[in-house]
Amino acid sequence: EAQVTQNPRYLITVTGKKLTVTCSQNMNHEYMSWYRQDPGLGLRQIYYSMNVEVTDKGDVPEGYKVSRKEKRNFPLILESPSPNQTSLYFCASSSTHRGLRFSNTEAFFGQGTRLTVV
Amino acid sequence: DAKTTQPNSMESNEEEPVHLPCNHSTISGTDYIHWYRQLPSQGPEYVIHGLTSNVNNRMASLAIAEDRKSSTLILHRATLRDAAVYYCILRPPFGNEKLTFGTGTRLTIIP
Protein backbone atom coordinates (compact mmCIF):
# COMPACT_ATOMS: atom_id res chain seq x y z
CA GLU A 1 0.00 0.00 0.00
CA ALA A 2 1.32 3.44 -0.97
CA GLN A 3 1.85 5.46 2.15
CA VAL A 4 3.74 8.12 4.03
CA THR A 5 4.55 7.07 7.58
CA GLN A 6 5.35 9.46 10.37
CA ASN A 7 6.60 8.62 13.82
CA PRO A 8 5.76 9.27 16.51
CA ARG A 9 2.09 10.17 16.18
CA TYR A 10 2.08 11.97 19.52
CA LEU A 11 4.96 13.49 21.46
CA ILE A 12 5.21 15.59 24.58
CA THR A 13 8.64 16.99 25.32
CA VAL A 14 10.35 19.68 27.34
CA THR A 15 11.89 22.90 26.09
CA GLY A 16 15.40 22.43 24.75
CA LYS A 17 15.42 18.66 24.44
CA LYS A 18 16.41 17.72 20.91
CA LEU A 19 13.94 15.56 19.03
CA THR A 20 13.47 14.01 15.62
CA VAL A 21 10.22 13.24 13.85
CA THR A 22 10.70 10.62 11.18
CA CYS A 23 8.99 10.47 7.80
CA SER A 24 9.24 7.62 5.35
CA GLN A 25 7.53 6.99 2.01
CA ASN A 26 7.39 3.76 0.02
CA MET A 27 6.57 5.22 -3.39
CA ASN A 28 10.06 6.21 -4.59
CA HIS A 29 8.97 9.86 -4.68
CA GLU A 30 11.55 12.55 -5.33
CA TYR A 31 9.71 15.43 -3.63
CA MET A 32 9.14 15.49 0.12
CA SER A 33 8.10 18.29 2.42
CA TRP A 34 7.11 19.13 5.96
CA TYR A 35 4.14 21.24 7.02
CA ARG A 36 2.88 22.46 10.34
CA GLN A 37 -0.79 23.13 11.01
CA ASP A 38 -1.92 25.66 13.59
CA PRO A 39 -5.44 26.90 14.36
CA GLY A 40 -6.27 29.96 12.31
CA LEU A 41 -3.04 29.72 10.30
CA GLY A 42 -3.70 26.61 8.24
CA LEU A 43 -0.90 24.43 6.89
CA ARG A 44 2.43 26.12 6.29
CA GLN A 45 5.45 24.59 4.63
CA ILE A 46 8.56 24.26 6.81
CA TYR A 47 11.13 22.62 4.52
CA TYR A 48 11.09 20.72 1.28
CA SER A 49 13.38 18.47 -0.71
CA MET A 50 13.31 17.86 -4.44
CA ASN A 51 15.66 14.90 -4.30
CA VAL A 52 18.37 13.22 -2.26
CA GLU A 53 20.80 15.73 -0.73
CA VAL A 54 18.68 18.64 -2.03
CA THR A 55 16.76 20.55 0.65
CA ASP A 56 15.50 24.10 0.96
CA LYS A 57 13.53 26.33 3.28
CA GLY A 58 9.80 26.74 3.06
CA ASP A 59 7.78 29.51 4.63
CA VAL A 60 8.50 28.86 8.32
CA PRO A 61 11.90 27.14 8.65
CA GLU A 62 13.16 28.84 11.84
CA GLY A 63 13.96 26.35 14.58
CA TYR A 64 13.90 23.31 12.31
CA LYS A 65 16.42 21.24 10.38
CA VAL A 66 15.97 18.46 7.85
CA SER A 67 18.13 15.99 6.00
CA ARG A 68 17.63 13.84 2.92
CA LYS A 69 20.29 11.17 2.83
CA GLU A 70 18.02 8.56 1.29
CA LYS A 71 15.13 8.97 -1.10
CA ARG A 72 12.56 7.39 1.19
CA ASN A 73 13.34 9.26 4.42
CA PHE A 74 13.00 12.92 5.34
CA PRO A 75 13.36 13.47 9.10
CA LEU A 76 12.43 16.74 10.78
CA ILE A 77 14.83 17.77 13.53
CA LEU A 78 14.13 20.22 16.32
CA GLU A 79 17.52 20.95 17.91
CA SER A 80 16.12 22.99 20.80
CA PRO A 81 12.33 22.84 20.82
CA SER A 82 10.37 25.75 22.22
CA PRO A 83 6.69 26.03 23.20
CA ASN A 84 5.89 27.96 20.00
CA GLN A 85 6.72 24.79 18.08
CA THR A 86 3.78 23.05 19.65
CA SER A 87 1.79 22.09 16.58
CA LEU A 88 0.46 19.35 14.32
CA TYR A 89 3.08 18.31 11.78
CA PHE A 90 2.54 16.63 8.44
CA CYS A 91 5.00 15.10 6.02
CA ALA A 92 4.12 14.86 2.33
CA SER A 93 5.62 13.37 -0.83
CA SER A 94 5.04 13.63 -4.57
CA SER A 95 6.56 12.20 -7.70
CA THR A 96 7.44 13.97 -10.89
CA HIS A 97 5.26 13.91 -13.96
CA ARG A 98 7.22 12.36 -16.79
CA GLY A 99 10.33 13.36 -14.90
CA LEU A 100 9.59 17.06 -15.13
CA ARG A 101 7.09 18.61 -12.74
CA PHE A 102 5.73 17.82 -9.30
CA SER A 103 2.87 20.27 -9.71
CA ASN A 104 1.05 17.90 -12.07
CA THR A 105 0.97 15.01 -9.61
CA GLU A 106 -0.85 14.26 -6.40
CA ALA A 107 0.76 14.67 -3.01
CA PHE A 108 0.49 12.00 -0.33
CA PHE A 109 0.37 13.08 3.30
CA GLY A 110 1.21 11.26 6.47
CA GLN A 111 -1.20 10.91 9.38
CA GLY A 112 0.43 13.67 11.34
CA THR A 113 2.50 14.11 14.49
CA ARG A 114 1.02 16.09 17.33
CA LEU A 115 3.89 17.72 19.20
CA THR A 116 3.57 19.49 22.53
CA VAL A 117 6.56 21.35 23.95
CA VAL A 118 6.23 22.32 27.61
CA ASP B 1 1.59 33.02 -4.70
CA ALA B 2 -1.75 33.20 -6.50
CA LYS B 3 -4.58 33.07 -3.98
CA THR B 4 -7.86 31.21 -3.89
CA THR B 5 -11.16 32.22 -2.30
CA GLN B 6 -13.60 29.67 -0.93
CA PRO B 7 -16.70 29.90 1.23
CA ASN B 8 -15.92 29.20 4.87
CA SER B 9 -18.59 26.55 5.20
CA MET B 10 -21.28 24.70 3.30
CA GLU B 11 -23.94 22.16 4.15
CA SER B 12 -25.41 19.46 2.00
CA ASN B 13 -27.86 16.64 2.43
CA GLU B 14 -26.65 13.09 2.32
CA GLU B 15 -26.93 11.44 -1.09
CA GLU B 16 -27.26 14.79 -2.83
CA PRO B 17 -24.65 16.28 -5.18
CA VAL B 18 -22.36 18.94 -3.74
CA HIS B 19 -20.78 21.78 -5.67
CA LEU B 20 -17.85 23.43 -3.90
CA PRO B 21 -16.79 26.69 -5.56
CA CYS B 22 -13.35 28.27 -5.71
CA ASN B 23 -12.32 31.62 -7.15
CA HIS B 24 -8.75 32.16 -8.33
CA SER B 25 -8.84 35.30 -10.41
CA THR B 26 -5.05 35.81 -10.29
CA ILE B 27 -4.19 32.34 -11.57
CA SER B 28 -1.32 32.19 -14.02
CA GLY B 29 -1.48 30.23 -17.22
CA THR B 30 0.66 27.40 -15.88
CA ASP B 31 -0.75 26.92 -12.37
CA TYR B 32 -2.38 23.57 -11.72
CA ILE B 33 -5.64 23.61 -9.76
CA HIS B 34 -5.55 21.05 -6.96
CA TRP B 35 -8.21 19.99 -4.48
CA TYR B 36 -7.43 18.28 -1.20
CA ARG B 37 -9.61 17.44 1.75
CA GLN B 38 -8.85 16.90 5.40
CA LEU B 39 -11.06 14.67 7.45
CA PRO B 40 -11.08 15.14 11.22
CA SER B 41 -7.84 14.04 12.87
CA GLN B 42 -6.26 13.02 9.56
CA GLY B 43 -3.71 14.35 7.11
CA PRO B 44 -4.80 16.08 3.91
CA GLU B 45 -5.96 13.73 1.19
CA TYR B 46 -5.70 14.33 -2.55
CA VAL B 47 -9.03 14.63 -4.32
CA ILE B 48 -8.38 15.80 -7.87
CA HIS B 49 -6.38 18.24 -9.98
CA GLY B 50 -6.45 19.76 -13.44
CA LEU B 51 -5.05 22.46 -15.69
CA THR B 52 -7.60 23.52 -18.28
CA SER B 53 -10.01 20.71 -19.04
CA ASN B 54 -12.63 19.26 -16.74
CA VAL B 55 -11.45 16.16 -14.91
CA ASN B 56 -13.20 13.15 -13.44
CA ASN B 57 -11.98 10.47 -11.10
CA ARG B 58 -13.52 7.95 -8.74
CA MET B 59 -13.86 10.53 -5.96
CA ALA B 60 -15.11 13.65 -7.72
CA SER B 61 -15.26 15.85 -10.78
CA LEU B 62 -13.47 19.13 -11.34
CA ALA B 63 -15.11 21.74 -13.53
CA ILE B 64 -12.76 24.52 -14.63
CA ALA B 65 -14.10 27.76 -16.07
CA GLU B 66 -13.00 28.61 -19.57
CA ASP B 67 -11.00 31.63 -18.35
CA ARG B 68 -9.61 29.51 -15.47
CA LYS B 69 -10.52 32.18 -12.92
CA SER B 70 -12.76 29.79 -11.04
CA SER B 71 -13.37 26.09 -10.56
CA THR B 72 -15.92 23.84 -8.91
CA LEU B 73 -15.38 20.55 -7.16
CA ILE B 74 -18.36 18.27 -7.61
CA LEU B 75 -19.12 15.38 -5.29
CA HIS B 76 -21.79 13.48 -7.14
CA ARG B 77 -23.48 11.85 -4.18
CA ALA B 78 -22.37 13.05 -0.77
CA THR B 79 -22.01 10.60 2.08
CA LEU B 80 -21.33 11.23 5.74
CA ARG B 81 -17.71 10.23 5.09
CA ASP B 82 -17.35 13.28 2.84
CA ALA B 83 -17.65 15.66 5.78
CA ALA B 84 -14.28 17.42 5.79
CA VAL B 85 -12.46 20.66 5.09
CA TYR B 86 -11.91 21.02 1.35
CA TYR B 87 -8.96 23.05 0.09
CA CYS B 88 -8.64 24.53 -3.38
CA ILE B 89 -4.96 25.14 -4.12
CA LEU B 90 -2.97 26.51 -7.03
CA ARG B 91 0.31 24.68 -7.53
CA PRO B 92 2.83 26.47 -9.74
CA PRO B 93 5.16 24.44 -11.98
CA PHE B 94 8.23 26.37 -10.85
CA GLY B 95 10.15 27.20 -7.68
CA ASN B 96 9.41 24.78 -4.90
CA GLU B 97 6.06 23.85 -6.49
CA LYS B 98 4.53 23.86 -3.05
CA LEU B 99 0.92 23.42 -2.06
CA THR B 100 -0.19 26.63 -0.35
CA PHE B 101 -3.20 25.83 1.83
CA GLY B 102 -5.81 28.48 2.58
CA THR B 103 -8.61 28.16 5.10
CA GLY B 104 -10.74 25.91 2.92
CA THR B 105 -14.46 25.13 3.03
CA ARG B 106 -15.81 23.10 5.90
CA LEU B 107 -18.42 20.77 4.41
CA THR B 108 -21.11 19.41 6.69
CA ILE B 109 -23.28 16.53 5.50
CA ILE B 110 -26.77 16.37 6.93
CA PRO B 111 -28.14 12.83 7.31
Side-chain angles (χ1 to χ4, degrees):
Chain A
E1 180 191 352
Q3 60 185 4
V4 177
T5 304
Q6 295 179 227
N7 280 297
R9 293 289 310 278
Y10 302 91
L11 179 60
I12 301 174
T13 190
V14 296
T15 299
K17 185 177 180 183
K18 181 180 178 180
L19 66 92
T20 299
V21 183
T22 64
C23 173
S24 181
Q25 49 93 4
N26 62 359
M27 297 164 280
N28 202 38
H29 285 171
E30 294 85 357
Y31 190 105
M32 298 186 74
S33 61
W34 277 101
Y35 289 81
R36 62 178 287 174
Q37 185 171 29
D38 302 290
L41 296 175
L43 284 104
R44 294 175 292 168
Q45 191 184 60
I46 303 171
Y47 267 94
Y48 68 98
S49 168
M50 289 196 170
N51 216 324
V52 176
E53 302 291 1
V54 180
T55 64
D56 209 343
K57 297 176 181 178
D59 297 319
V60 287
E62 293 78 20
Y64 304 95
K65 285 175 58 176
V66 293
S67 69
R68 189 88 183 274
K69 295 186 173 61
E70 307 164 281
K71 203 171 191 180
R72 65 183 292 123
N73 296 322
F74 190 46
L76 180 69
I77 303 156
L78 285 73
E79 294 269 0
S80 182
S82 63
N84 65 11
Q85 293 177 297
T86 292
S87 188
L88 181 57
Y89 292 85
F90 291 102
C91 180
S93 73
S94 336
S95 66
T96 57
H97 177 69
R98 298 177 183 171
L100 292 176
R101 289 289 171 222
F102 303 105
S103 51
N104 192 19
T105 64
E106 66 180 278
F108 291 78
F109 284 79
Q111 287 293 88
T113 295
R114 186 167 293 282
L115 172 66
T116 302
V117 183
V118 298
Chain B
D1 297 334
K3 294 209 182 304
T4 63
T5 304
Q6 300 176 253
N8 287 333
S9 62
M10 289 183 64
E11 287 185 351
S12 180
N13 293 319
E14 196 177 8
E15 300 186 5
E16 296 284 321
V18 182
H19 290 235
L20 295 161
C22 181
N23 286 318
H24 28 79
S25 59
T26 59
I27 190 171
S28 78
T30 52
D31 287 345
Y32 286 89
I33 301 165
H34 284 248
W35 283 81
Y36 284 76
R37 71 181 186 182
Q38 189 171 18
L39 280 66
S41 303
Q42 294 193 26
E45 174 188 31
Y46 169 82
V47 177
I48 201 166
H49 81 282
L51 184 62
T52 56
S53 304
N54 294 344
V55 184
N56 300 297
N57 66 21
R58 62 175 179 80
M59 286 182 71
S61 295
L62 176 60
I64 301 173
E66 200 168 326
D67 62 6
R68 297 202 343 119
K69 292 182 188 285
S70 66
S71 60
T72 302
L73 178 71
I74 303 164
L75 307 178
H76 295 287
R77 195 164 167 270
T79 70
L80 295 177
R81 286 192 298 257
D82 292 320
V85 178
Y86 285 79
Y87 298 97
C88 169
I89 301 166
L90 304 181
R91 194 172 188 187
F94 55 83
N96 70 11
E97 302 188 47
K98 67 181 178 181
L99 292 164
T100 301
F101 287 81
T103 52
T105 297
R106 183 173 296 279
L107 177 65
T108 300
I109 305 298
I110 302 167

